[in-house]
Amino acid sequence: TAQGNQVYPKLQVDPPADGELAGLPTVVVRFTFDSRGTPFAGRRIYLIHNNRMFEIGFQGREESLPLFQQVLQSITFPAGPCEH
């Protein structure tokens, strides 16, 4: 938990984990928190493609995670050399 956090005193952050998205390696951070008694789930996914870092995030109700998974499955990156 985040010590002394007055905004989200029930924040739980899991250790970063390796993952994969669109065939690329990622770092995934999962977290949960309560806001006024309502539980929320959060995800942050970090990846690098073509010398650019991307962050894909979700904060919402646990039951909305399948929708987030569908969004993640729709992400693609064009093949080819770096253009900058």
Side-chain angles (χ1 to χ4, degrees):
T1 61
Q3 296 294 329
N5 187 332
Q6 299 300 313
V7 177
Y8 299 114
K10 296 181 182 177
L11 178 66
Q12 295 285 329
V13 181
D14 294 344
D18 293 333
E20 185 176 302
L21 178 65
L24 299 170
T26 64
V27 173
V28 180
V29 178
R30 293 174 175 84
F31 59 95
T32 58
F33 63 94
D34 287 348
S35 178
R36 298 184 177 117
T38 302
F40 286 89
R43 303 288 185 272
R44 292 292 181 270
I45 300 170
Y46 302 92
L47 66 90
I48 296 175
H49 175 72
N50 215 356
N51 291 325
R52 293 175 178 90
M53 183 172 156
F54 294 86
E55 177 186 9
I56 302 108
F58 170 82
Q59 252 176 242
R61 301 295 303 265
E62 186 85 25
E63 58 265 21
S64 297
L65 281 171
L67 176 61
F68 181 61
Q69 288 299 324
Q70 289 176 358
V71 170
L72 293 176
Q73 291 172 358
S74 74
I75 294 174
T76 61
F77 291 93
C82 181
E83 296 177 7
H84 70 310

